[in-house]
Amino acid sequence: MAVTEKIDTLVNLYHNDKLSHVYLIETNSISQATNDILNLSKKINCENEYEINCHKCNLCNLINQNFLPSLIIIEPDGNNIKKEQVIDLKKRFSYKALYTKNNIYILKEADKLNLTAANTMLKFIEEPGENIYGFLLTRNINNVIPTIKSRCELLSLQYEDNQINDIDEYKKVAIDYISKIELENSPKIMYNRNVILNNYCEKENIIRIFQEMLKIYFEAYSQNKKILALNKLTKVELQKRINLIIKFLSDIDSNANVELLLDRFVIELSDDYD
Ligand SMILES: [Zn+2]
């Protein structure tokens, strides 16, 4: 069954009051699956007859802007999903939803729930409260703690047009990484672990992230499009970053130690005497 048909089946189950309270979804694209669950939420909540890209109603607009209080997306904070994040979710859903009949949460990378978070999550899954629906996403269902897995309805969303989704995913990581290394004050080396190495260990993936970064810096340099994090950079500073990325991409081919290369990259990036 195609993914859109599966989503429509879930919509029907919802309308017949038969939607399970928690689904554990295995998928080859977390970002694409997240998108589809957002679409599911639009389809069941839309004030109009939902059509693709509804911009007519408030609800769909709120969902598009990630602003609907009854829809919460949780993702790993650094290495894993922490207990506090689950407690916060519980708290926010202890009130009745204001604009919708249901509260929906999406938990990305369910395999990254640490043990205490998983225990808190378990209680929440067992007594979710009325009209709360959860969608836990993972790339590999076997990496999810068995007690969680056994309490969820299992579902698989596999995307054929991988290529396109992957590009989206790498672009998102690139923007996240750039925003952190350009704007935040903590030691930049930290983000090599948090954003990149803990999630991507294959050289090939890291190359794709840096290729996306190159595009973003280059667009800013040629004044086509600038993401917020690059607003304050001068042309000279942008040029320096472009050179460093090009150097990184040529070194990574012949150098086995990716970690070292990444660290050198951020150190040279912050070195003002260069
Ligand atoms: Zn709508």
Side-chain angles (χ1 to χ4, degrees):
M1 211 194 296
V3 170
T4 44
E5 289 174 78
K6 286 188 184 178
I7 298 295
D8 288 341
T9 307
L10 294 177
V11 173
N12 285 333
L13 286 173
Y14 174 83
H15 287 307
N16 292 311
D17 240 350
K18 284 180 180 149
L19 189 66
S20 296
H21 278 284
V22 198
Y23 287 85
L24 175 58
I25 300 174
E26 187 173 59
T27 179
N28 54 351
S29 171
I30 300 264
S31 60
Q32 201 66 16
T34 303
N35 237 346
D36 273 321
I37 301 303
L38 293 179
N39 286 336
L40 166 78
S41 165
K42 289 181 203 166
K43 284 180 179 174
I44 60 183
N45 289 312
C46 184
E47 293 157 350
N48 305 304
E49 277 291 307
Y50 176 81
E51 290 165 50
I52 293 176
N53 296 327
C54 169
H55 290 294
K56 282 177 278 185
C57 77
N58 261 333
L59 279 175
C60 289
N61 282 331
L62 286 173
I63 293 171
N64 285 337
Q65 292 160 39
N66 198 6
F67 237 68
L68 183 68
S70 57
L71 182 77
I72 294 179
I73 300 178
I74 299 174
E75 50 196 332
D77 173 13
N79 275 340
N80 42 42
I81 298 169
K82 301 187 173 79
K83 187 181 171 186
E84 292 71 36
Q85 294 176 271
V86 182
I87 290 175
D88 183 55
L89 169 73
K90 263 176 146 172
K91 214 184 276 168
R92 289 173 63 186
F93 278 1
S94 61
Y95 308 101
K96 225 172 156 233
L98 271 183
Y99 309 104
T100 52
K101 286 190 192 124
N102 46 67
N103 282 311
I104 292 178
Y105 63 93
I106 301 170
L107 192 140
K108 293 181 180 181
E109 306 191 56
D111 43 287
K112 291 196 175 152
L113 279 162
N114 70 20
L115 203 60
T116 50
N119 282 331
T120 313
M121 195 69 215
L122 265 184
K123 281 182 216 139
F124 188 55
I125 290 176
E126 281 166 348
E127 300 158 28
E130 252 179 280
N131 296 318
I132 294 179
Y133 300 95
F135 298 89
L136 281 52
L137 310 179
T138 177
R139 288 190 187 82
N140 185 347
I141 226 161
N142 295 318
N143 293 341
V144 177
I145 294 177
T147 44
I148 295 267
K149 190 173 144 189
S150 67
R151 282 167 180 80
C152 297
E153 176 127 3
L154 306 182
L155 188 72
S156 164
L157 297 180
Q158 300 300 328
Y159 297 88
E160 280 174 24
D161 203 357
N162 248 312
Q163 219 65 31
I164 299 165
N165 306 326
D166 278 357
I167 289 169
D168 272 358
E169 187 160 340
Y170 293 119
K171 191 171 173 186
K172 275 182 197 153
V173 178
I175 291 174
D176 184 31
Y177 181 62
I178 290 173
S179 303
K180 284 178 171 138
I181 59 173
E182 295 291 358
L183 296 179
E184 292 191 17
N185 291 323
S186 321
K188 300 186 194 317
I189 282 182
M190 196 175 97
Y191 303 117
N192 288 342
R193 314 279 174 284
N194 287 354
V195 183
I196 298 187
L197 293 167
N198 289 335
N199 299 305
Y200 301 90
C201 41
E202 306 283 331
K203 235 183 203 183
E204 185 188 313
N205 296 334
I206 296 172
I207 289 173
R208 290 181 71 170
I209 294 168
F210 269 73
Q211 284 169 340
E212 290 298 326
M213 284 167 61
L214 187 58
K215 276 189 221 158
I216 293 167
Y217 279 106
F218 197 75
E219 278 173 351
Y221 181 80
S222 54
Q223 308 267 312
N224 284 334
K225 202 169 58 185
K226 235 180 201 181
I227 63 167
L228 213 57
L230 303 182
N231 266 350
K232 288 197 174 138
L233 294 181
T234 63
K235 274 213 150 186
V236 175
E237 286 167 325
L238 287 167
Q239 178 71 60
K240 175 183 163 186
R241 283 152 174 78
I242 290 168
N243 290 340
L244 286 173
I245 295 171
I246 292 170
K247 187 168 141 211
F248 178 91
L249 285 168
S250 84
D251 287 349
I252 196 173
D253 257 344
S254 54
N255 195 320
N257 196 335
V258 178
E259 197 171 336
L260 201 77
L261 285 178
L262 278 169
D263 289 351
R264 199 179 69 192
F265 171 74
V266 291
I267 289 166
E268 291 186 351
L269 185 119
S270 7
D271 182 7
D272 290 331
Y273 303 101
D274 209 355

Coordinates of all heavy atoms in Angstrom, one line a residue, residues 124-202:
F124 N 2.9 7.1 30.2 CA 2.0 8.0 29.3 C 1.3 7.2 28.2 O 0.1 7.4 28.0 CB 2.9 9.0 28.7 CG 2.2 10.1 28.0 CD1 1.2 10.9 28.6 CD2 2.5 10.4 26.6 CE1 0.6 11.9 28.0 CE2 1.8 11.4 26.0 CZ 0.8 12.1 26.7
I125 N 2.0 6.2 27.7 CA 1.3 5.4 26.6 C 0.2 4.5 27.2 O -0.8 4.3 26.6 CB 2.4 4.4 26.0 CG1 3.3 5.3 25.1 CG2 1.7 3.4 25.1 CD1 4.5 4.5 24.5
E126 N 0.4 4.0 28.5 CA -0.6 3.2 29.1 C -1.8 4.0 29.5 O -2.9 3.5 29.5 CB 0.0 2.4 30.3 CG 0.8 1.2 29.8 CD 1.7 0.7 30.9 OE1 1.9 1.3 31.9 OE2 2.3 -0.4 30.6
E127 N -1.6 5.2 30.0 CA -2.8 6.0 30.4 C -2.7 7.4 29.7 O -2.3 8.4 30.3 CB -2.8 6.2 31.9 CG -2.9 4.9 32.7 CD -2.4 5.1 34.1 OE1 -2.4 6.2 34.6 OE2 -1.9 4.1 34.6
P128 N -2.9 7.4 28.4 CA -2.7 8.6 27.6 C -3.7 9.7 27.9 O -3.3 10.9 27.6 CB -2.8 8.1 26.2 CG -3.7 7.0 26.2 CD -3.5 6.3 27.6
G129 N -4.8 9.5 28.5 CA -5.8 10.5 28.6 C -6.6 10.6 27.3 O -6.2 10.0 26.3
E130 N -7.7 11.2 27.4 CA -8.6 11.2 26.2 C -8.1 11.9 25.0 O -7.5 13.0 25.2 CB -10.0 11.8 26.6 CG -11.1 10.8 26.8 CD -12.4 11.4 27.2 OE1 -12.5 11.7 28.4 OE2 -13.2 11.7 26.4
N131 N -8.4 11.4 23.8 CA -8.1 12.1 22.6 C -6.7 12.5 22.4 O -6.4 13.6 21.9 CB -9.0 13.4 22.5 CG -10.5 13.0 22.4 OD1 -10.8 12.0 21.7 ND2 -11.3 13.7 23.1
I132 N -5.8 11.7 22.9 CA -4.4 12.0 22.7 C -3.8 10.9 21.8 O -4.0 9.7 22.0 CB -3.6 12.0 24.0 CG1 -4.0 13.2 24.9 CG2 -2.1 12.0 23.7 CD1 -3.3 13.3 26.2
Y133 N -3.2 11.3 20.7 CA -2.6 10.3 19.8 C -1.1 10.5 19.6 O -0.7 11.7 19.4 CB -3.4 10.4 18.4 CG -4.8 10.2 18.5 CD1 -5.7 11.2 18.7 CD2 -5.3 8.8 18.5 CE1 -7.1 11.0 18.8 CE2 -6.7 8.6 18.7 CZ -7.6 9.7 18.8 OH -8.9 9.4 19.0
G134 N -0.4 9.4 19.6 CA 1.0 9.6 19.5 C 1.6 8.8 18.3 O 1.1 7.8 17.9
F135 N 2.6 9.4 17.7 CA 3.3 8.7 16.6 C 4.8 8.8 16.8 O 5.4 9.8 16.8 CB 2.9 9.5 15.2 CG 1.5 9.4 14.9 CD1 0.6 10.4 15.4 CD2 0.9 8.4 14.2 CE1 -0.7 10.4 15.2 CE2 -0.4 8.4 13.9 CZ -1.3 9.4 14.4
L136 N 5.3 7.6 17.1 CA 6.7 7.4 17.4 C 7.4 7.0 16.1 O 7.0 6.0 15.5 CB 7.0 6.4 18.5 CG 6.7 6.8 19.9 CD1 5.3 7.4 20.1 CD2 6.9 5.6 20.9
L137 N 8.5 7.7 15.7 CA 9.1 7.4 14.5 C 10.5 6.9 14.7 O 11.2 7.3 15.6 CB 9.3 8.7 13.6 CG 8.0 9.5 13.4 CD1 8.3 10.7 12.5 CD2 6.9 8.7 12.7
T138 N 10.9 5.9 13.9 CA 12.3 5.4 14.0 C 12.8 4.8 12.7 O 11.9 4.5 11.8 CB 12.4 4.2 15.1 OG1 13.7 3.7 15.1 CG2 11.4 3.1 14.7
R139 N 14.1 4.8 12.5 CA 14.6 4.2 11.2 C 14.7 2.7 11.4 O 14.7 2.0 10.4 CB 16.0 4.8 10.9 CG 15.9 6.2 10.4 CD 17.3 6.7 9.9 NE 17.2 8.1 9.6 CZ 17.4 9.0 10.5 NH1 17.6 8.7 11.8 NH2 17.2 10.3 10.2
N140 N 14.8 2.2 12.6 CA 14.9 0.8 12.8 C 14.1 0.4 14.1 O 14.5 0.7 15.2 CB 16.4 0.4 12.9 CG 16.5 -1.1 13.0 OD1 15.6 -1.8 13.3 ND2 17.8 -1.6 12.9
I141 N 13.0 -0.3 13.8 CA 12.1 -0.7 14.9 C 12.8 -1.6 16.0 O 12.4 -1.5 17.1 CB 10.9 -1.4 14.3 CG1 9.6 -0.8 14.9 CG2 10.9 -2.9 14.4 CD1 8.4 -1.1 14.0
N142 N 13.8 -2.3 15.6 CA 14.5 -3.2 16.5 C 15.4 -2.5 17.5 O 15.8 -3.0 18.5 CB 15.3 -4.2 15.7 CG 14.5 -5.1 14.9 OD1 13.4 -5.6 15.4 ND2 14.9 -5.3 13.7
N143 N 15.6 -1.2 17.2 CA 16.4 -0.4 18.2 C 15.6 0.3 19.3 O 16.1 0.9 20.1 CB 17.2 0.7 17.5 CG 18.3 0.0 16.6 OD1 18.6 -1.1 16.8 ND2 18.8 0.8 15.6
V144 N 14.3 0.1 19.2 CA 13.4 0.7 20.2 C 13.2 -0.2 21.3 O 13.1 -1.4 21.2 CB 12.0 1.0 19.5 CG1 11.0 1.6 20.6 CG2 12.2 1.9 18.3
I145 N 13.3 0.3 22.5 CA 13.2 -0.5 23.8 C 11.9 -1.3 23.7 O 10.8 -0.9 23.4 CB 13.1 0.5 25.0 CG1 14.4 1.2 25.1 CG2 12.8 -0.3 26.3 CD1 14.5 2.2 26.2
P146 N 12.1 -2.7 23.9 CA 11.0 -3.6 23.7 C 9.7 -3.3 24.4 O 8.6 -3.5 23.9 CB 11.6 -5.0 24.2 CG 13.0 -4.8 24.1 CD 13.3 -3.3 24.3
T147 N 9.8 -2.8 25.6 CA 8.5 -2.5 26.4 C 7.7 -1.4 25.7 O 6.5 -1.5 25.7 CB 8.9 -2.1 27.8 OG1 9.9 -1.2 27.8 CG2 9.2 -3.3 28.7
I148 N 8.4 -0.5 25.1 CA 7.7 0.5 24.3 C 7.1 -0.1 23.1 O 5.9 0.1 22.8 CB 8.7 1.7 23.8 CG1 9.2 2.4 25.0 CG2 8.0 2.6 22.8 CD1 8.5 3.6 25.5
K149 N 7.9 -0.8 22.4 CA 7.5 -1.5 21.1 C 6.2 -2.3 21.3 O 5.3 -2.2 20.5 CB 8.7 -2.3 20.6 CG 8.5 -2.8 19.2 CD 9.8 -3.5 18.8 CE 9.5 -4.7 17.9 NZ 10.8 -5.5 17.7
S150 N 6.2 -3.1 22.4 CA 5.1 -4.0 22.6 C 3.8 -3.3 22.9 O 2.7 -3.9 22.7 CB 5.5 -5.0 23.7 OG 5.5 -4.3 24.9
R151 N 3.9 -2.1 23.2 CA 2.6 -1.4 23.6 C 2.1 -0.5 22.4 O 1.1 0.2 22.5 CB 2.8 -0.5 24.8 CG 2.8 -1.3 26.1 CD 3.3 -0.5 27.3 NE 3.2 -1.3 28.5 CZ 4.2 -2.1 28.9 NH1 5.2 -2.4 28.1 NH2 4.1 -2.8 30.0
C152 N 2.8 -0.5 21.3 CA 2.4 0.4 20.2 C 1.9 -0.5 19.1 O 2.2 -1.6 18.9 CB 3.7 1.1 19.6 SG 4.4 2.3 20.8
E153 N 1.0 0.1 18.3 CA 0.6 -0.5 17.0 C 1.7 -0.2 16.0 O 2.2 1.0 15.9 CB -0.7 0.1 16.6 CG -1.2 -0.4 15.3 CD -2.6 -0.9 15.3 OE1 -3.2 -0.8 16.4 OE2 -3.0 -1.4 14.3
L154 N 2.2 -1.2 15.3 CA 3.3 -1.0 14.4 C 2.9 -0.7 13.0 O 1.8 -1.2 12.5 CB 4.2 -2.3 14.4 CG 4.7 -2.8 15.7 CD1 5.5 -4.1 15.5 CD2 5.4 -1.7 16.5
L155 N 3.6 0.2 12.4 CA 3.3 0.6 11.1 C 4.6 1.0 10.3 O 5.6 1.3 10.9 CB 2.4 1.9 11.2 CG 1.8 2.5 9.9 CD1 0.6 1.6 9.5 CD2 1.3 3.9 10.2
S156 N 4.6 0.7 9.0 CA 5.8 1.1 8.2 C 5.5 2.1 7.2 O 4.5 1.9 6.4 CB 6.3 -0.2 7.6 OG 7.3 0.1 6.6
L157 N 6.2 3.1 7.1 CA 6.1 4.1 6.0 C 7.4 4.2 5.2 O 8.4 4.8 5.7 CB 5.7 5.5 6.5 CG 4.4 5.7 7.3 CD1 4.2 7.1 7.7 CD2 3.2 5.2 6.4
Q158 N 7.4 3.5 4.1 CA 8.7 3.5 3.3 C 8.5 4.4 2.1 O 7.5 4.3 1.4 CB 9.1 2.1 2.9 CG 9.3 1.2 4.1 CD 10.4 1.6 5.0 OE1 11.4 2.2 4.6 NE2 10.3 1.4 6.3
Y159 N 9.5 5.2 1.8 CA 9.4 6.1 0.7 C 10.3 5.7 -0.5 O 11.4 5.4 -0.2 CB 9.7 7.6 1.1 CG 8.8 8.0 2.2 CD1 9.0 7.8 3.5 CD2 7.6 8.7 1.8 CE1 8.1 8.2 4.5 CE2 6.7 9.1 2.7 CZ 6.9 8.9 4.1 OH 6.0 9.3 5.0
E160 N 9.7 5.7 -1.6 CA 10.5 5.2 -2.8 C 11.4 6.3 -3.3 O 12.5 6.1 -3.6 CB 9.6 4.8 -3.9 CG 9.0 3.4 -3.7 CD 8.0 3.0 -4.7 OE1 8.0 3.5 -5.8 OE2 7.2 2.1 -4.4
D161 N 10.8 7.5 -3.3 CA 11.6 8.6 -3.9 C 12.6 9.1 -2.9 O 12.7 10.3 -2.6 CB 10.6 9.7 -4.3 CG 11.2 10.5 -5.4 OD1 12.4 10.3 -5.8 OD2 10.6 11.4 -5.9
N162 N 13.4 8.2 -2.4 CA 14.4 8.4 -1.4 C 15.2 9.6 -1.6 O 15.4 10.4 -0.7 CB 15.3 7.2 -1.4 CG 15.2 6.5 -0.2 OD1 15.2 7.1 0.9 ND2 15.0 5.2 -0.3
Q163 N 15.8 9.7 -2.8 CA 16.7 10.7 -3.2 C 16.3 12.1 -2.7 O 16.9 12.8 -2.0 CB 16.9 10.7 -4.7 CG 18.3 10.9 -5.2 CD 19.2 9.8 -4.7 OE1 18.8 8.6 -4.6 NE2 20.4 10.1 -4.5
I164 N 15.0 12.4 -3.1 CA 14.5 13.8 -2.9 C 14.4 14.0 -1.4 O 14.8 15.0 -0.8 CB 13.1 13.9 -3.5 CG1 13.3 13.8 -5.0 CG2 12.6 15.3 -3.2 CD1 12.0 13.6 -5.8
N165 N 13.8 13.0 -0.7 CA 13.7 13.1 0.8 C 15.0 13.3 1.5 O 15.1 14.1 2.4 CB 12.9 11.9 1.3 CG 11.6 11.7 0.6 OD1 11.0 12.7 0.2 ND2 11.3 10.5 0.4
D166 N 16.0 12.5 1.0 CA 17.3 12.5 1.7 C 17.9 13.9 1.5 O 18.4 14.5 2.5 CB 18.2 11.5 1.0 CG 18.0 10.2 1.6 OD1 17.1 10.1 2.5 OD2 18.6 9.2 1.1
I167 N 17.7 14.5 0.3 CA 18.3 15.8 0.1 C 17.7 16.8 1.1 O 18.4 17.6 1.8 CB 18.1 16.3 -1.3 CG1 19.0 15.5 -2.3 CG2 18.4 17.8 -1.5 CD1 18.7 15.6 -3.7
D168 N 16.4 16.7 1.3 CA 15.7 17.5 2.3 C 16.3 17.3 3.7 O 16.6 18.3 4.4 CB 14.2 17.1 2.4 CG 13.4 17.9 1.4 OD1 14.0 18.7 0.7 OD2 12.2 17.7 1.3
E169 N 16.5 16.1 4.0 CA 17.0 15.8 5.3 C 18.4 16.4 5.5 O 18.7 17.0 6.5 CB 17.0 14.3 5.5 CG 17.4 13.9 6.9 CD 17.0 12.5 7.3 OE1 16.1 11.9 6.5 OE2 17.5 11.9 8.2
Y170 N 19.3 16.2 4.5 CA 20.7 16.7 4.6 C 20.7 18.2 4.7 O 21.5 18.9 5.4 CB 21.6 16.2 3.5 CG 21.8 14.7 3.6 CD1 21.4 13.9 2.6 CD2 22.4 14.2 4.7 CE1 21.6 12.5 2.7 CE2 22.6 12.8 4.8 CZ 22.2 12.0 3.8 OH 22.4 10.6 3.9
K171 N 19.8 18.8 3.9 CA 19.7 20.3 3.9 C 19.3 20.8 5.3 O 19.8 21.8 5.8 CB 18.7 20.7 2.9 CG 18.7 22.2 2.6 CD 17.9 22.6 1.4 CE 17.8 24.1 1.3 NZ 16.9 24.5 0.3
K172 N 18.3 20.1 5.9 CA 17.9 20.5 7.3 C 19.0 20.4 8.3 O 19.2 21.3 9.1 CB 16.7 19.6 7.7 CG 15.4 20.2 7.2 CD 14.2 19.3 7.8 CE 13.0 19.6 6.9 NZ 12.1 18.5 6.9
V173 N 19.8 19.3 8.2 CA 20.9 19.1 9.1 C 21.9 20.2 8.9 O 22.5 20.8 9.8 CB 21.6 17.7 8.9 CG1 22.8 17.6 9.8 CG2 20.6 16.6 9.2
A174 N 22.2 20.6 7.6 CA 23.1 21.6 7.2 C 22.7 22.9 7.8 O 23.5 23.6 8.4 CB 23.3 21.7 5.7
I175 N 21.4 23.3 7.7 CA 21.0 24.6 8.3 C 21.1 24.6 9.8 O 21.5 25.6 10.4 CB 19.5 24.8 7.8 CG1 19.5 25.1 6.3 CG2 18.9 26.0 8.6 CD1 18.1 25.2 5.7
D176 N 20.7 23.4 10.4 CA 20.8 23.3 11.9 C 22.3 23.5 12.3 O 22.6 24.3 13.2 CB 20.3 21.9 12.3 CG 20.3 21.8 13.8 OD1 20.1 22.8 14.5 OD2 20.5 20.6 14.2
Y177 N 23.2 22.9 11.6 CA 24.6 22.9 12.0 C 25.2 24.3 11.8 O 25.8 24.9 12.7 CB 25.4 21.9 11.1 CG 26.9 21.8 11.4 CD1 27.4 21.4 12.6 CD2 27.8 22.1 10.3 CE1 28.7 21.3 12.8 CE2 29.1 21.9 10.5 CZ 29.6 21.6 11.8 OH 31.0 21.4 11.9
I178 N 24.8 24.9 10.6 CA 25.3 26.3 10.4 C 24.8 27.3 11.4 O 25.5 28.1 12.0 CB 24.9 26.8 9.0 CG1 25.6 26.0 7.9 CG2 25.1 28.3 8.8 CD1 25.1 26.2 6.5
S179 N 23.5 27.2 11.7 CA 22.9 28.1 12.7 C 23.6 28.0 14.0 O 23.9 29.0 14.7 CB 21.4 27.8 12.9 OG 20.7 27.8 11.7
K180 N 24.0 26.7 14.4 CA 24.7 26.6 15.7 C 26.1 27.1 15.7 O 26.5 27.8 16.5 CB 24.6 25.1 16.1 CG 23.2 24.8 16.7 CD 23.0 23.4 17.1 CE 21.6 23.4 17.8 NZ 20.8 22.2 17.4
I181 N 26.9 26.7 14.6 CA 28.3 27.1 14.6 C 28.4 28.6 14.4 O 29.4 29.2 14.8 CB 29.2 26.3 13.6 CG1 28.7 26.5 12.2 CG2 29.3 24.9 14.0 CD1 29.6 25.8 11.2
E182 N 27.4 29.2 13.7 CA 27.5 30.7 13.5 C 27.0 31.5 14.6 O 27.4 32.6 14.9 CB 26.8 31.1 12.2 CG 27.4 30.5 10.9 CD 28.8 31.1 10.5 OE1 29.3 32.0 11.3 OE2 29.4 30.6 9.5
L183 N 26.0 31.0 15.3 CA 25.2 31.9 16.2 C 25.5 31.6 17.7 O 25.3 32.5 18.5 CB 23.7 31.9 15.9 CG 23.3 32.4 14.6 CD1 21.8 32.3 14.5 CD2 23.7 33.9 14.4
E184 N 25.8 30.4 18.0 CA 25.8 30.1 19.4 C 27.2 30.2 20.0 O 28.2 30.1 19.4 CB 25.2 28.7 19.7 CG 23.7 28.7 19.3 CD 22.9 27.5 19.7 OE1 23.4 26.7 20.6 OE2 21.8 27.3 19.2
N185 N 27.2 30.5 21.3 CA 28.4 30.8 22.0 C 29.2 29.6 22.6 O 30.4 29.7 22.9 CB 28.2 31.8 23.1 CG 27.8 33.1 22.6 OD1 28.3 33.6 21.5 ND2 26.8 33.8 23.2
S186 N 28.5 28.5 22.7 CA 29.2 27.3 23.3 C 30.4 26.9 22.3 O 30.3 27.3 21.1 CB 28.3 26.1 23.4 OG 27.0 26.6 23.9
P187 N 31.3 26.1 22.8 CA 32.4 25.7 22.0 C 31.9 25.0 20.7 O 31.1 24.1 20.9 CB 33.2 24.8 22.8 CG 32.9 25.1 24.2 CD 31.5 25.7 24.2
K188 N 32.3 25.4 19.6 CA 31.7 24.9 18.3 C 31.9 23.4 18.1 O 31.2 22.7 17.5 CB 32.2 25.6 17.1 CG 31.9 27.1 17.2 CD 32.3 27.8 15.9 CE 32.3 29.3 16.1 NZ 31.2 29.9 16.8
I189 N 33.0 22.9 18.7 CA 33.4 21.5 18.5 C 32.3 20.6 19.0 O 32.0 19.5 18.5 CB 34.7 21.2 19.3 CG1 35.9 21.7 18.5 CG2 34.8 19.7 19.6 CD1 37.2 21.4 19.0
M190 N 31.5 21.1 20.0 CA 30.4 20.3 20.6 C 29.4 20.0 19.5 O 28.8 18.9 19.5 CB 29.7 21.3 21.6 CG 28.8 20.6 22.5 SD 28.3 21.9 23.7 CE 26.8 22.4 23.0
Y191 N 29.2 20.9 18.5 CA 28.1 20.6 17.5 C 28.6 19.6 16.5 O 27.8 19.0 15.8 CB 27.7 22.0 16.9 CG 27.3 23.0 17.9 CD1 27.9 24.1 18.1 CD2 26.2 22.7 18.7 CE1 27.5 25.0 19.0 CE2 25.7 23.6 19.6 CZ 26.4 24.7 19.8 OH 26.0 25.6 20.8
N192 N 29.9 19.4 16.4 CA 30.4 18.3 15.6 C 29.8 17.0 16.1 O 29.5 16.1 15.3 CB 31.9 18.3 15.5 CG 32.5 19.4 14.7 OD1 31.8 20.1 14.0 ND2 33.7 19.7 15.0
R193 N 29.8 16.9 17.4 CA 29.3 15.6 18.0 C 27.7 15.6 17.9 O 27.1 14.7 17.4 CB 29.7 15.5 19.5 CG 31.1 15.8 19.8 CD 32.0 14.6 19.5 NE 33.4 14.9 19.7 CZ 34.1 15.7 18.9 NH1 33.5 16.1 17.8 NH2 35.4 16.0 19.1
N194 N 27.1 16.7 18.5 CA 25.7 16.7 18.7 C 24.9 16.7 17.4 O 23.9 16.0 17.3 CB 25.2 18.0 19.4 CG 25.6 17.9 20.9 OD1 26.1 16.9 21.4 ND2 25.4 19.0 21.6
V195 N 25.3 17.5 16.5 CA 24.5 17.6 15.2 C 25.0 16.5 14.2 O 24.1 15.9 13.5 CB 24.6 19.0 14.6 CG1 23.7 19.1 13.4 CG2 24.2 20.0 15.7
I196 N 26.3 16.3 14.1 CA 26.7 15.5 13.0 C 27.1 14.0 13.4 O 26.4 13.1 13.1 CB 27.9 16.1 12.2 CG1 27.3 17.5 11.6 CG2 28.4 15.2 11.1 CD1 28.2 18.2 10.7
L197 N 28.2 13.9 14.2 CA 28.8 12.6 14.4 C 27.8 11.6 15.1 O 27.9 10.4 14.9 CB 30.1 12.7 15.1 CG 31.2 13.4 14.3 CD1 32.4 13.7 15.2 CD2 31.6 12.5 13.2
N198 N 27.0 12.1 16.0 CA 26.1 11.2 16.8 C 25.0 10.7 15.9 O 24.3 9.7 16.2 CB 25.5 11.9 18.0 CG 26.5 12.1 19.1 OD1 27.5 11.4 19.1 ND2 26.3 13.2 19.9
N199 N 24.7 11.4 14.8 CA 23.6 11.0 13.9 C 24.1 10.4 12.6 O 23.4 9.6 12.0 CB 22.7 12.2 13.6 CG 22.1 12.8 14.8 OD1 21.5 12.1 15.6 ND2 22.3 14.0 15.1
Y200 N 25.3 10.8 12.1 CA 25.8 10.3 10.9 C 27.2 9.9 11.0 O 28.1 10.7 11.3 CB 25.7 11.4 9.8 CG 24.3 11.9 9.6 CD1 23.8 13.0 10.3 CD2 23.5 11.3 8.7 CE1 22.5 13.4 10.2 CE2 22.2 11.8 8.5 CZ 21.7 12.8 9.2 OH 20.4 13.2 9.1
C201 N 27.5 8.6 10.8 CA 28.8 8.1 11.0 C 29.4 7.8 9.6 O 30.7 7.7 9.5 CB 29.0 7.0 11.9 SG 27.7 5.8 11.8
E202 N 28.6 7.6 8.6 CA 29.1 7.3 7.3 C 29.7 8.5 6.6 O 29.1 9.6 6.6 CB 28.0 6.7 6.3 CG 27.3 5.6 6.9 CD 28.1 4.3 6.8 OE1 28.9 4.2 5.8 OE2 27.9 3.4 7.6

